[in-house]
Amino acid sequence: PHGYDVIDYRINSEWGGEDGYRRLIARARAKGLGIIQDIVPNHMAIHEGNYRLMDVLKKGRASRYYRFFDFYEEEDKIRIPILEDKLENLIAQGLIRLEKDVDGEYYIKYRDWRFPLNTVGKDLVETLNMQHYILAHWRDPPSYRRFLAVNELIAINEEYEEVFEEAHREILKYDVDGYRVDHVDGLFNPIDYVRKLKRVSGGRIVLVEKILAFGEKLFEGPDGTTGYDFLNYSNLLFTSNEEKMTSIYESFIQRRFDLDQELRSCKEKVLRDLFPYEVERYSRLLGIKAEDLRDYLICLNIYRTYGDVKVECDRSGAIARAYKSNPHTYHKLEQFLPAVYVKAYEDMLLFRYNRLISLNEVGSDLHYYSLSYDDFHEFNAKRVGTLSLNATSTHDTKFSEDVRMKISAISEYPDEWREKVYEWHDILNPKVDRNDEYRFYQVLIGSYFREGFSEEYRRRIEQHMIKSLREASIYTSWLNPNIEYERRMLDLVEEAFTNRSFINSFSKFEAKIRRVGMEKSLSLVALKIMSPGVPDIYQGTETWRYLLTDPDNRRPVKFEELADLLKRSRSFDKEMISNMDDGRIKIYITHRLLRLRRDLNINSLAYKPMRTPDGVCGFWRGDRVLVLVKTRGIGRVVVRVEGRFIDYLTGEYVVNDVEIDSLPRILIREK
């Protein structure tokens, strides 16, 4: 379970309950660890265990919890679109029926759902018609605000004082250091919410899950974000040969890719297929034309506004006039804005534009292929002392850091990559679109590791590729699956996993890419830990972890194996470099740099960029710690440094000149 389908605000008994959580907090405190509690103030799950919602479904507007949820007030009944077929068909099949609980109370049973009844009629149909709610087909619109386009997640009105208190009473009882606020952009007024949470928690740390566009500033109040800005700024340091990689991609797919037009097309499709009801409703409530609202939503290239109107997107002026005359409804519209951008950009465009898919991440801007060191330093320098996370992998990233770095390594070998994709095309003779085929080769290169072409790995690739196709929504989609086209993709996967000519060719190229990808990953670890901010190490990524889009990135972590690996990796030896596959080198660097960060209180030290040759990113923390990492290029690079240093990772002494090859250099100037 992912835990974001909240039914109550108590600690789940399956995870140890309240007593278990208090013991965890106490043990963490004893070891000098703090705890940031993840909280979900935007939505809850439609589930029989959600007693507040069940009370509303039973009593309607008379329920004390009616204002808790963000229902559409103009609707007479609560429409819950979860049915897989027409109501009458499901009744005929016996999938929707009346049942009694142990207390003799009747309820509606459908699959794993149980719905309460306010009264019982003479038969099932009459009983259903007498309720305060309607069970509708999943394609129908709900009569409540939902999380993105997920009908089973109903939004709440945390802006009401009584709802805020109800939703946070239990959370505030625990002696934690702060909170991670999930989907802060879904809230009515994120600025007020953070201010209130700070006040009632006694000033505890508040980190918000906020996706910032490049150059966008975080609103006032939070102590930082969950780190997608760092992820994307650092990610752009590791790519090379933009012109060649663009040319190879467009030549292979046999067309030019207009990124802006494609994003516009994605937004149009999302508004047409997923949110036509919301567009009609908000335009009606705001008193504007639906066309004006659609144009505004399509034009916006940020996740949401905060009590303002982007005039450059309001060509007719209708949005500004509506905001002035009806600010409350405009703020409700702002809660809807993230759904449009997430579904169009994150869940569609990122699976359509496949030039180099290591760049296709949450919070990215695909107009950027790479980033200058000056721009990275400017970004870092503004974050000195911040508590913002430095994320590189999360439960929402499209690929884990090791997959991304390995795919980025392809850009170091553009000519060989061109030869390989055409060679593989001839060997496999795919029956899918070349754009989907091009993505498949990158996915395979990025995620392939020690398990080889195993059955488990094949299932993972199959699931990922089908998800990719449906998210892209060109030949198939979640709304209208095209099983025949999906079968062609599965045939391609099967052929790749069994064709000896392909496997031999692929394996030779992958072995070369793997080493370069690992070196890039180690550089990224050093940047994450030594840059301003708080390093966020996603579960299991202390060592190599080649994960795809969720649910693959939530695979169980083998903690006992990690602990054993750490025991064998506490001191440096050269075999860590010659045999990187065993994972010791990554966990060693992670452990070693976290210790340095703690011992020198790195986050409090000044940040000063260092001029470096192309391919090497360098900066000082304070006046003694010099960080040098290779981000682009192949082979050794020599950098001039003035003075005498010791390499904190290898123990090597360095005087004036330092050679950078497989490992990042963390140099401590001798006093």
Side-chain angles (χ1 to χ4, degrees), residues 417-437:
W417 171 246
R418 178 192 287 111
E419 292 176 6
K420 286 297 179 183
V421 293
Y422 282 100
E423 177 187 339
W424 297 340
H425 175 79
D426 290 341
I427 292 173
L428 298 175
N429 190 26
K431 301 299 189 293
V432 297
D433 186 280
R434 280 174 169 252
N435 195 33
D436 297 329
E437 178 189 355

PDB file of all heavy atoms in Angstrom, residues 417-437:
ATOM      1  N   TRP A 417      25.362   4.708 -30.566  1.00  0.00           N
ATOM      2  CA  TRP A 417      23.932   4.564 -30.259  1.00  0.00           C
ATOM      3  C   TRP A 417      23.112   4.557 -31.543  1.00  0.00           C
ATOM      4  O   TRP A 417      22.202   3.750 -31.710  1.00  0.00           O
ATOM      5  CB  TRP A 417      23.494   5.701 -29.340  1.00  0.00           C
ATOM      6  CG  TRP A 417      22.013   5.814 -29.111  1.00  0.00           C
ATOM      7  CD1 TRP A 417      21.201   6.833 -29.503  1.00  0.00           C
ATOM      8  CD2 TRP A 417      21.160   4.883 -28.419  1.00  0.00           C
ATOM      9  NE1 TRP A 417      19.905   6.602 -29.105  1.00  0.00           N
ATOM     10  CE2 TRP A 417      19.853   5.411 -28.433  1.00  0.00           C
ATOM     11  CE3 TRP A 417      21.382   3.660 -27.799  1.00  0.00           C
ATOM     12  CZ2 TRP A 417      18.773   4.762 -27.854  1.00  0.00           C
ATOM     13  CZ3 TRP A 417      20.298   3.005 -27.216  1.00  0.00           C
ATOM     14  CH2 TRP A 417      19.021   3.547 -27.244  1.00  0.00           C
ATOM     15  N   ARG A 418      23.446   5.453 -32.477  1.00  0.00           N
ATOM     16  CA  ARG A 418      22.735   5.485 -33.755  1.00  0.00           C
ATOM     17  C   ARG A 418      22.847   4.129 -34.453  1.00  0.00           C
ATOM     18  O   ARG A 418      21.848   3.570 -34.931  1.00  0.00           O
ATOM     19  CB  ARG A 418      23.305   6.578 -34.653  1.00  0.00           C
ATOM     20  CG  ARG A 418      22.630   6.623 -36.032  1.00  0.00           C
ATOM     21  CD  ARG A 418      23.366   7.500 -37.022  1.00  0.00           C
ATOM     22  NE  ARG A 418      23.204   8.913 -36.737  1.00  0.00           N
ATOM     23  CZ  ARG A 418      24.159   9.710 -36.298  1.00  0.00           C
ATOM     24  NH1 ARG A 418      25.378   9.204 -36.057  1.00  0.00           N
ATOM     25  NH2 ARG A 418      23.939  10.987 -36.081  1.00  0.00           N
ATOM     26  N   GLU A 419      24.048   3.597 -34.508  1.00  0.00           N
ATOM     27  CA  GLU A 419      24.247   2.300 -35.160  1.00  0.00           C
ATOM     28  C   GLU A 419      23.425   1.211 -34.486  1.00  0.00           C
ATOM     29  O   GLU A 419      22.821   0.359 -35.154  1.00  0.00           O
ATOM     30  CB  GLU A 419      25.726   1.921 -35.129  1.00  0.00           C
ATOM     31  CG  GLU A 419      26.620   2.808 -35.982  1.00  0.00           C
ATOM     32  CD  GLU A 419      28.087   2.440 -35.828  1.00  0.00           C
ATOM     33  OE1 GLU A 419      28.375   1.423 -35.153  1.00  0.00           O
ATOM     34  OE2 GLU A 419      28.946   3.171 -36.367  1.00  0.00           O
ATOM     35  N   LYS A 420      23.404   1.242 -33.152  1.00  0.00           N
ATOM     36  CA  LYS A 420      22.727   0.180 -32.408  1.00  0.00           C
ATOM     37  C   LYS A 420      21.218   0.207 -32.621  1.00  0.00           C
ATOM     38  O   LYS A 420      20.595  -0.847 -32.818  1.00  0.00           O
ATOM     39  CB  LYS A 420      23.052   0.293 -30.916  1.00  0.00           C
ATOM     40  CG  LYS A 420      24.466  -0.145 -30.566  1.00  0.00           C
ATOM     41  CD  LYS A 420      24.673  -1.621 -30.889  1.00  0.00           C
ATOM     42  CE  LYS A 420      26.081  -2.084 -30.574  1.00  0.00           C
ATOM     43  NZ  LYS A 420      26.301  -3.500 -30.967  1.00  0.00           N
ATOM     44  N   VAL A 421      20.587   1.375 -32.553  1.00  0.00           N
ATOM     45  CA  VAL A 421      19.122   1.385 -32.656  1.00  0.00           C
ATOM     46  C   VAL A 421      18.670   0.922 -34.040  1.00  0.00           C
ATOM     47  O   VAL A 421      17.651   0.221 -34.161  1.00  0.00           O
ATOM     48  CB  VAL A 421      18.537   2.776 -32.315  1.00  0.00           C
ATOM     49  CG1 VAL A 421      18.745   3.101 -30.849  1.00  0.00           C
ATOM     50  CG2 VAL A 421      19.086   3.872 -33.201  1.00  0.00           C
ATOM     51  N   TYR A 422      19.425   1.260 -35.079  1.00  0.00           N
ATOM     52  CA  TYR A 422      19.054   0.780 -36.412  1.00  0.00           C
ATOM     53  C   TYR A 422      19.341  -0.718 -36.546  1.00  0.00           C
ATOM     54  O   TYR A 422      18.574  -1.458 -37.183  1.00  0.00           O
ATOM     55  CB  TYR A 422      19.791   1.575 -37.487  1.00  0.00           C
ATOM     56  CG  TYR A 422      19.180   2.939 -37.733  1.00  0.00           C
ATOM     57  CD1 TYR A 422      19.736   4.086 -37.171  1.00  0.00           C
ATOM     58  CD2 TYR A 422      18.034   3.076 -38.514  1.00  0.00           C
ATOM     59  CE1 TYR A 422      19.172   5.340 -37.382  1.00  0.00           C
ATOM     60  CE2 TYR A 422      17.459   4.323 -38.734  1.00  0.00           C
ATOM     61  CZ  TYR A 422      18.031   5.448 -38.163  1.00  0.00           C
ATOM     62  OH  TYR A 422      17.460   6.685 -38.373  1.00  0.00           O
ATOM     63  N   GLU A 423      20.435  -1.153 -35.956  1.00  0.00           N
ATOM     64  CA  GLU A 423      20.747  -2.587 -35.975  1.00  0.00           C
ATOM     65  C   GLU A 423      19.668  -3.376 -35.244  1.00  0.00           C
ATOM     66  O   GLU A 423      19.189  -4.407 -35.740  1.00  0.00           O
ATOM     67  CB  GLU A 423      22.106  -2.814 -35.309  1.00  0.00           C
ATOM     68  CG  GLU A 423      22.512  -4.285 -35.209  1.00  0.00           C
ATOM     69  CD  GLU A 423      23.785  -4.473 -34.393  1.00  0.00           C
ATOM     70  OE1 GLU A 423      24.556  -3.501 -34.242  1.00  0.00           O
ATOM     71  OE2 GLU A 423      23.995  -5.596 -33.889  1.00  0.00           O
ATOM     72  N   TRP A 424      19.273  -2.901 -34.069  1.00  0.00           N
ATOM     73  CA  TRP A 424      18.245  -3.608 -33.298  1.00  0.00           C
ATOM     74  C   TRP A 424      16.900  -3.579 -34.014  1.00  0.00           C
ATOM     75  O   TRP A 424      16.137  -4.545 -33.955  1.00  0.00           O
ATOM     76  CB  TRP A 424      18.125  -2.988 -31.901  1.00  0.00           C
ATOM     77  CG  TRP A 424      19.396  -3.120 -31.098  1.00  0.00           C
ATOM     78  CD1 TRP A 424      20.415  -4.011 -31.306  1.00  0.00           C
ATOM     79  CD2 TRP A 424      19.792  -2.321 -29.979  1.00  0.00           C
ATOM     80  NE1 TRP A 424      21.424  -3.821 -30.387  1.00  0.00           N
ATOM     81  CE2 TRP A 424      21.071  -2.795 -29.553  1.00  0.00           C
ATOM     82  CE3 TRP A 424      19.221  -1.261 -29.286  1.00  0.00           C
ATOM     83  CZ2 TRP A 424      21.755  -2.238 -28.473  1.00  0.00           C
ATOM     84  CZ3 TRP A 424      19.899  -0.705 -28.211  1.00  0.00           C
ATOM     85  CH2 TRP A 424      21.145  -1.189 -27.807  1.00  0.00           C
ATOM     86  N   HIS A 425      16.615  -2.478 -34.680  1.00  0.00           N
ATOM     87  CA  HIS A 425      15.373  -2.390 -35.448  1.00  0.00           C
ATOM     88  C   HIS A 425      15.343  -3.466 -36.536  1.00  0.00           C
ATOM     89  O   HIS A 425      14.313  -4.132 -36.743  1.00  0.00           O
ATOM     90  CB  HIS A 425      15.251  -0.998 -36.073  1.00  0.00           C
ATOM     91  CG  HIS A 425      14.064  -0.834 -36.974  1.00  0.00           C
ATOM     92  ND1 HIS A 425      12.790  -0.613 -36.496  1.00  0.00           N
ATOM     93  CD2 HIS A 425      13.963  -0.873 -38.336  1.00  0.00           C
ATOM     94  CE1 HIS A 425      11.946  -0.520 -37.516  1.00  0.00           C
ATOM     95  NE2 HIS A 425      12.639  -0.671 -38.641  1.00  0.00           N
ATOM     96  N   ASP A 426      16.460  -3.644 -37.210  1.00  0.00           N
ATOM     97  CA  ASP A 426      16.520  -4.657 -38.273  1.00  0.00           C
ATOM     98  C   ASP A 426      16.426  -6.074 -37.707  1.00  0.00           C
ATOM     99  O   ASP A 426      15.811  -6.957 -38.314  1.00  0.00           O
ATOM    100  CB  ASP A 426      17.822  -4.502 -39.069  1.00  0.00           C
ATOM    101  CG  ASP A 426      17.840  -3.233 -39.913  1.00  0.00           C
ATOM    102  OD1 ASP A 426      16.749  -2.681 -40.169  1.00  0.00           O
ATOM    103  OD2 ASP A 426      18.942  -2.787 -40.300  1.00  0.00           O
ATOM    104  N   ILE A 427      17.033  -6.294 -36.543  1.00  0.00           N
ATOM    105  CA  ILE A 427      17.006  -7.632 -35.937  1.00  0.00           C
ATOM    106  C   ILE A 427      15.605  -7.985 -35.454  1.00  0.00           C
ATOM    107  O   ILE A 427      15.097  -9.090 -35.700  1.00  0.00           O
ATOM    108  CB  ILE A 427      18.002  -7.717 -34.757  1.00  0.00           C
ATOM    109  CG1 ILE A 427      19.444  -7.638 -35.260  1.00  0.00           C
ATOM    110  CG2 ILE A 427      17.790  -9.009 -33.963  1.00  0.00           C
ATOM    111  CD1 ILE A 427      20.472  -7.539 -34.135  1.00  0.00           C
ATOM    112  N   LEU A 428      14.952  -7.051 -34.771  1.00  0.00           N
ATOM    113  CA  LEU A 428      13.692  -7.355 -34.088  1.00  0.00           C
ATOM    114  C   LEU A 428      12.461  -7.131 -34.960  1.00  0.00           C
ATOM    115  O   LEU A 428      11.399  -7.702 -34.684  1.00  0.00           O
ATOM    116  CB  LEU A 428      13.579  -6.503 -32.813  1.00  0.00           C
ATOM    117  CG  LEU A 428      14.662  -6.758 -31.754  1.00  0.00           C
ATOM    118  CD1 LEU A 428      14.513  -5.774 -30.601  1.00  0.00           C
ATOM    119  CD2 LEU A 428      14.595  -8.190 -31.232  1.00  0.00           C
ATOM    120  N   ASN A 429      12.592  -6.276 -35.982  1.00  0.00           N
ATOM    121  CA  ASN A 429      11.480  -5.999 -36.893  1.00  0.00           C
ATOM    122  C   ASN A 429      10.187  -5.689 -36.134  1.00  0.00           C
ATOM    123  O   ASN A 429       9.161  -6.360 -36.305  1.00  0.00           O
ATOM    124  CB  ASN A 429      11.259  -7.198 -37.828  1.00  0.00           C
ATOM    125  CG  ASN A 429      10.293  -6.869 -38.954  1.00  0.00           C
ATOM    126  OD1 ASN A 429      10.150  -5.709 -39.348  1.00  0.00           O
ATOM    127  ND2 ASN A 429       9.618  -7.892 -39.460  1.00  0.00           N
ATOM    128  N   PRO A 430      10.190  -4.662 -35.285  1.00  0.00           N
ATOM    129  CA  PRO A 430       9.011  -4.370 -34.453  1.00  0.00           C
ATOM    130  C   PRO A 430       7.806  -3.935 -35.277  1.00  0.00           C
ATOM    131  O   PRO A 430       7.948  -3.381 -36.371  1.00  0.00           O
ATOM    132  CB  PRO A 430       9.490  -3.222 -33.554  1.00  0.00           C
ATOM    133  CG  PRO A 430      10.980  -3.251 -33.640  1.00  0.00           C
ATOM    134  CD  PRO A 430      11.293  -3.738 -35.017  1.00  0.00           C
ATOM    135  N   LYS A 431       6.629  -4.169 -34.715  1.00  0.00           N
ATOM    136  CA  LYS A 431       5.377  -3.761 -35.362  1.00  0.00           C
ATOM    137  C   LYS A 431       4.709  -2.624 -34.586  1.00  0.00           C
ATOM    138  O   LYS A 431       3.489  -2.452 -34.657  1.00  0.00           O
ATOM    139  CB  LYS A 431       4.427  -4.963 -35.444  1.00  0.00           C
ATOM    140  CG  LYS A 431       4.987  -6.145 -36.225  1.00  0.00           C
ATOM    141  CD  LYS A 431       5.285  -5.776 -37.674  1.00  0.00           C
ATOM    142  CE  LYS A 431       5.646  -6.989 -38.521  1.00  0.00           C
ATOM    143  NZ  LYS A 431       6.937  -7.600 -38.120  1.00  0.00           N
ATOM    144  N   VAL A 432       5.513  -1.866 -33.847  1.00  0.00           N
ATOM    145  CA  VAL A 432       4.982  -0.724 -33.097  1.00  0.00           C
ATOM    146  C   VAL A 432       5.542   0.558 -33.693  1.00  0.00           C
ATOM    147  O   VAL A 432       6.481   0.530 -34.498  1.00  0.00           O
ATOM    148  CB  VAL A 432       5.358  -0.803 -31.598  1.00  0.00           C
ATOM    149  CG1 VAL A 432       4.732  -2.029 -30.950  1.00  0.00           C
ATOM    150  CG2 VAL A 432       6.874  -0.799 -31.407  1.00  0.00           C
ATOM    151  N   ASP A 433       4.974   1.680 -33.292  1.00  0.00           N
ATOM    152  CA  ASP A 433       5.459   2.979 -33.745  1.00  0.00           C
ATOM    153  C   ASP A 433       6.930   3.144 -33.366  1.00  0.00           C
ATOM    154  O   ASP A 433       7.361   2.724 -32.293  1.00  0.00           O
ATOM    155  CB  ASP A 433       4.620   4.086 -33.094  1.00  0.00           C
ATOM    156  CG  ASP A 433       4.963   5.459 -33.634  1.00  0.00           C
ATOM    157  OD1 ASP A 433       5.975   6.037 -33.188  1.00  0.00           O
ATOM    158  OD2 ASP A 433       4.226   5.959 -34.505  1.00  0.00           O
ATOM    159  N   ARG A 434       7.701   3.778 -34.240  1.00  0.00           N
ATOM    160  CA  ARG A 434       9.137   3.931 -33.991  1.00  0.00           C
ATOM    161  C   ARG A 434       9.424   4.752 -32.731  1.00  0.00           C
ATOM    162  O   ARG A 434      10.458   4.558 -32.092  1.00  0.00           O
ATOM    163  CB  ARG A 434       9.806   4.585 -35.204  1.00  0.00           C
ATOM    164  CG  ARG A 434      10.073   3.605 -36.351  1.00  0.00           C
ATOM    165  CD  ARG A 434      10.600   4.334 -37.573  1.00  0.00           C
ATOM    166  NE  ARG A 434      11.100   3.388 -38.572  1.00  0.00           N
ATOM    167  CZ  ARG A 434      12.387   3.209 -38.864  1.00  0.00           C
ATOM    168  NH1 ARG A 434      13.312   3.897 -38.217  1.00  0.00           N
ATOM    169  NH2 ARG A 434      12.757   2.338 -39.789  1.00  0.00           N
ATOM    170  N   ASN A 435       8.540   5.661 -32.388  1.00  0.00           N
ATOM    171  CA  ASN A 435       8.739   6.449 -31.169  1.00  0.00           C
ATOM    172  C   ASN A 435       8.648   5.552 -29.934  1.00  0.00           C
ATOM    173  O   ASN A 435       9.439   5.676 -28.992  1.00  0.00           O
ATOM    174  CB  ASN A 435       7.700   7.568 -31.095  1.00  0.00           C
ATOM    175  CG  ASN A 435       8.054   8.623 -30.068  1.00  0.00           C
ATOM    176  OD1 ASN A 435       9.224   8.928 -29.824  1.00  0.00           O
ATOM    177  ND2 ASN A 435       7.034   9.194 -29.444  1.00  0.00           N
ATOM    178  N   ASP A 436       7.689   4.646 -29.922  1.00  0.00           N
ATOM    179  CA  ASP A 436       7.566   3.697 -28.813  1.00  0.00           C
ATOM    180  C   ASP A 436       8.744   2.721 -28.800  1.00  0.00           C
ATOM    181  O   ASP A 436       9.240   2.341 -27.734  1.00  0.00           O
ATOM    182  CB  ASP A 436       6.249   2.923 -28.921  1.00  0.00           C
ATOM    183  CG  ASP A 436       5.035   3.831 -28.795  1.00  0.00           C
ATOM    184  OD1 ASP A 436       5.137   4.850 -28.087  1.00  0.00           O
ATOM    185  OD2 ASP A 436       3.994   3.534 -29.418  1.00  0.00           O
ATOM    186  N   GLU A 437       9.176   2.324 -29.979  1.00  0.00           N
ATOM    187  CA  GLU A 437      10.332   1.433 -30.086  1.00  0.00           C
ATOM    188  C   GLU A 437      11.585   2.111 -29.528  1.00  0.00           C
ATOM    189  O   GLU A 437      12.367   1.490 -28.791  1.00  0.00           O
ATOM    190  CB  GLU A 437      10.548   1.059 -31.557  1.00  0.00           C
ATOM    191  CG  GLU A 437      11.755   0.177 -31.811  1.00  0.00           C
ATOM    192  CD  GLU A 437      12.050   0.009 -33.299  1.00  0.00           C
ATOM    193  OE1 GLU A 437      11.260   0.501 -34.139  1.00  0.00           O
ATOM    194  OE2 GLU A 437      13.098  -0.600 -33.621  1.00  0.00           O
TER     195      GLU A 437
END
